[in-house]
């Protein structure tokens, strides 16, 4: 348990943070305070680089060390630290385990992990076991074993873990969170969400050989990237606080899109045009909650389709409904007639307090400013010692959709029970 706090208190404190993204009153212990926060990075590719730049929007950040197997990437990130006025970090570039050497340093408070998905969990766990707090990119784990290991690493180390799920900090998502907290939706009954984002351009090298992204489609099955879609919806529904995920059932379509793309780009006789991905083009899952709420979760990173809004979201409450597509809302007794209105109509009234206060500072950071609020939440958590707003139990639960959806598909759609991560890894062994 983080810093010796009782689990119930911990979950309660985190609930306050997640409900309104406002730091909870319960302070678990003395945090880092106002001194410099010393960050190390593992993985400074596209996403890690964004997170290096964004962190310097906050006061008192120093980066003594950076690790990446790719020396050029580590060098580029070090240059960015210098450009921001910091001392050039020491780099760790001697292969896939060199982060172990970096974790031995005693001048790092926390590690930001932004490596490929299959190693995100193991590296985050190793960092906490070495005594560092962690901010981890998504998805945080890809198997149930990795999910449990992550929970165990937090409980055994007492370190703070936060999942860097930036969609939870999108302006509209935080405004909706605020509206839900103020009862605008009445009781939430149903949600649809999905990550539908054609990523095939990242699937192949220039010679047509598959990259790690295409290899995921080739070797895995199920919803391979659930957290962007499920994160905000789980928070809207109070999952892990006042409700829980009970079971999931999934189905997948035929796979045609990846090989179709490869044939178009590299010719129909190229070996990549003949691959047979295990992952279908569209994977849908239904999730039931303990209170009987229903979620339809979709996943498609392969089909031809423009993506102005890659994160789909539809919310149904007893008093209001919302659709991300078109940013439309209907509120009983307020919307004129029986028609949708733009969410903008309610912006002044329901803008999240943090966005009201910090929108200027967030300008220019990733995902229309969401990265500012996400990194700010991590920095504030470390400074105050408050509970993580997206803690390891959330991370494990959201990530477990990857293996559970695969298991359900392989069992012909049979419902799969969610593990009770919040009961604790030390109290309950994985089955
Ligand atoms: N939150 C978001 O909006 C968002 C956006 C993009 C990517 N991501 C996530 O961020 C992660 C990284 O994605 P990316 O697009 O930056 O990929 P990338 O390939 O550009 O970067 C990954 C980096 O990790 C390094 N690396 C790999 N194995 C390593 C090891 N053992 N030790 C040290 N360095 C290692 C690689 O050399 C590379 O520089 C992924 O998990 C992805 O899902 C999240």
């Amino acid at each position: 348990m983080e810093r010796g706090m009782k689990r119930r208190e911990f979950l309660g404190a985190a609930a306050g943070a997640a409900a309104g993204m406002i730091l909870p009153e319960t302070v678990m212990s003395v945090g880092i305070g106002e001194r410099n926060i010393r960050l190390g990075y593992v993985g400074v590719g596209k996403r890690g680089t964004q997170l290096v730049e964004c962190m310097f929007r906050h006061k008192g950040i120093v980066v003594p060390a950076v690790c990446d197997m790719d020396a050029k990437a580590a060098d580029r990130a070090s240059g960015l630290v210098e450009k921001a006025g910091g001392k050039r970090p020491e780099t760790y570039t001697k292969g896939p385990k060199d982060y172990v050497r970096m974790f031995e340093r005693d001048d790092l408070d926390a590690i930001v992990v932004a490596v490929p998905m299959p190693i995100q969990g193991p590296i985050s766990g190793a960092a906490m076991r070495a005594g560092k707090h962690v901010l981890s990119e998504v998805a945080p784990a890809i198997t149930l074993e990795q999910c449990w290991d992550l929970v165990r690493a937090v409980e055994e180390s007492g370190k703070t873990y936060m999942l860097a799920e930036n969609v939870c900090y999108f302006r509209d998502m935080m405004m909706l969170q605020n509206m839900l907290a103020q009862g605008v939706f009445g009781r939430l009954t149903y949600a649809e969400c999905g990550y539908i984002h054609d990523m095939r351009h990242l699937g192949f090298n220039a010679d047509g050989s598959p990259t790690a992204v295409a290899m995921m489609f080739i070797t895995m099955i199920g919803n391979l990237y659930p957290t962007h879609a499920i994160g905000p919806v789980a928070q809207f529904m109070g999952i892990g606080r006042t409700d829980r995920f009970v079971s999931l059932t999934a189905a997948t379509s035929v796979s045609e899109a990846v090989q179709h793309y490869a044939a178009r780009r590299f010719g129909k006789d190229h070996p990549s045009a003949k691959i047979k991905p295990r992952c279908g083009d569209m994977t849908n899952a239904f999730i039931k909650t303990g209170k009987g709420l229903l979620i339809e979760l979709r996943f498609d990173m392969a089909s031809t389709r423009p993506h102005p809004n890659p994160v789909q979201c539809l919310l149904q409450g007893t008093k209001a409904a919302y659709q991300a597509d078109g940013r439309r809302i209907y509120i009983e007794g307020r919307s004129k007639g029986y028609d949708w209105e733009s969410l903008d109509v309610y912006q002044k009234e329901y803008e999240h307090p943090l966005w009201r206060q910090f929108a200027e500072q967030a300008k220019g950071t990733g995902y229309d400013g969401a990265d500012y609020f996400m990194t700010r939440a991590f920095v504030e958590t470390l400074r105050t010692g408050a509970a993580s707003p997206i803690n390891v139990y959330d991370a494990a639960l959201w990530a477990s959709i990857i293996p559970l959806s695969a298991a359900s598909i392989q069992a012909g759609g049979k419902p799969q029970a969610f593990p009770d991560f919040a009961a604790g890894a030390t109290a309950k062994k994985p089955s």
Side-chain angles (χ1 to χ4, degrees):
M1 189 52 45
E2 292 199 15
R3 302 191 190 113
M5 192 182 200
K6 283 194 191 118
R7 178 169 293 108
R8 193 170 305 147
E9 289 171 304
F10 171 67
L11 291 172
M21 300 295 172
I22 295 164
L23 288 170
E25 283 170 63
T26 318
V27 174
M28 299 193 324
S29 75
V30 179
I32 284 171
E34 291 311 306
R35 75 156 164 83
N36 282 343
I37 295 178
R38 304 162 303 176
L39 296 178
Y41 283 75
V42 185
V44 279
K46 291 180 284 299
R47 184 63 183 148
T49 299
Q50 266 185 324
L51 293 177
V52 169
E53 288 179 314
C54 189
M55 279 292 182
F56 286 112
R57 293 290 178 107
H58 310 290
K59 285 196 186 117
I61 299 294
V62 294
V63 180
V66 165
C67 171
D68 198 297
M69 278 164 58
D70 176 352
K72 272 193 198 147
D75 225 46
R76 186 184 57 223
S78 300
L80 289 172
V81 174
E82 262 186 332
K83 198 172 146 202
K87 187 170 167 242
R88 195 171 181 86
E90 196 172 325
T91 55
Y92 293 78
T93 59
K94 292 183 185 155
K97 294 273 178 194
D98 208 24
Y99 59 83
V100 173
R101 221 163 40 90
M102 186 176 93
F103 293 168
E104 284 166 3
R105 296 176 70 116
D106 60 8
D107 63 349
L108 295 175
D109 298 303
I111 307 293
V112 180
V113 184
V115 290
M117 277 168 41
I119 54 173
Q120 205 102 253
I123 293 180
S124 299
M128 289 185 281
R129 291 199 158 94
K132 323 297 186 213
H133 306 296
V134 164
L135 178 68
S136 162
E137 258 311 327
V138 303
I142 61 166
T143 64
L144 287 183
E145 290 74 20
Q146 285 189 355
C147 292
W148 280 110
D149 274 352
L150 209 50
V151 171
R152 207 173 291 118
V154 171
E155 293 181 349
E156 288 172 5
S157 68
K159 291 291 149 186
T160 290
Y161 173 93
M162 177 175 162
L163 183 67
E165 187 33 86
N166 48 346
V167 177
C168 296
Y169 294 88
F170 278 21
R171 191 173 200 152
D172 284 356
M173 294 294 136
M174 286 179 74
M175 177 171 153
L176 287 164
Q177 185 67 264
N178 197 24
M179 295 175 97
L180 279 150
Q182 296 193 41
V184 174
F185 279 78
R187 284 197 58 211
L188 212 52
T189 53
Y190 173 77
E192 284 172 23
C193 54
Y195 189 73
I196 298 176
H197 192 172
D198 181 4
M199 291 292 221
R200 292 171 299 176
H201 59 288
L202 298 179
F204 298 96
N205 297 306
D207 64 359
S209 56
T211 64
V213 172
M215 285 312 291
M216 271 188 4
F217 289 108
I218 294 168
T219 58
M220 293 172 73
I221 192 166
N223 184 326
L224 309 183
Y225 203 56
T227 69
H228 287 329
I230 203 68
V233 168
Q235 290 189 331
F236 295 154
M237 292 183 171
I239 301 300
R241 281 77 184 165
T242 54
D243 199 357
R244 66 195 170 92
F245 286 161
V246 174
S247 67
L248 170 152
T249 181
T252 194
S253 77
V254 67
S255 160
E256 294 286 355
V258 178
Q259 53 276 51
H260 170 80
Y261 173 88
R264 193 162 52 79
R265 187 164 156 199
F266 305 109
K268 66 179 173 36
D269 295 325
H270 193 283
S272 286
K274 295 180 178 130
I275 56 174
K276 295 206 180 309
R278 287 184 73 216
C279 189
D281 293 350
M282 175 73 83
T283 298
N284 287 16
F286 281 109
I287 297 175
K288 288 284 289 187
T289 81
K291 289 188 172 171
L293 278 63
L294 179 66
I295 302 168
E296 181 176 7
L297 171 65
R298 298 168 71 195
F299 166 74
D300 182 348
M301 279 172 58
S303 299
T304 301
R305 171 202 303 253
H307 45 83
N309 181 3
V311 178
Q312 317 289 310
C313 183
L314 179 153
L315 297 177
Q316 186 60 61
T318 49
K319 293 188 191 166
Y322 163 78
Q323 282 186 192
D325 192 8
R327 299 179 64 247
R328 296 185 296 173
I329 191 156
Y330 170 77
I331 306 174
E332 203 176 70
R334 290 205 63 180
S335 300
K336 289 186 196 89
Y338 203 9
D339 279 323
W340 294 101
E341 296 176 289
S342 164
L343 191 65
D344 289 337
V345 171
Y346 298 96
Q347 191 88 24
K348 259 198 183 140
E349 196 176 351
Y350 292 111
E351 177 85 283
H352 192 282
L354 288 176
W355 270 93
R356 268 188 224 281
Q357 199 178 344
F358 296 112
E360 266 313 300
Q361 289 91 321
K363 269 191 184 146
T365 65
Y367 301 88
D368 294 328
D371 279 353
Y372 172 86
F373 291 92
M374 186 270 291
T375 51
R376 181 184 181 280
F378 184 62
V379 167
E380 289 298 305
T381 299
L382 294 186
R383 290 212 181 286
T384 59
S388 166
I390 308 181
N391 64 38
V392 75
Y393 303 108
D394 300 317
L397 190 71
W398 303 352
S400 72
I401 290 168
I402 298 174
L404 294 180
S405 57
S408 178
I409 291 164
Q410 281 162 334
K414 191 171 170 221
Q416 305 293 309
F418 278 92
D420 187 2
F421 294 108
T426 42
K428 189 176 170 206
K429 291 273 174 251
S431 51

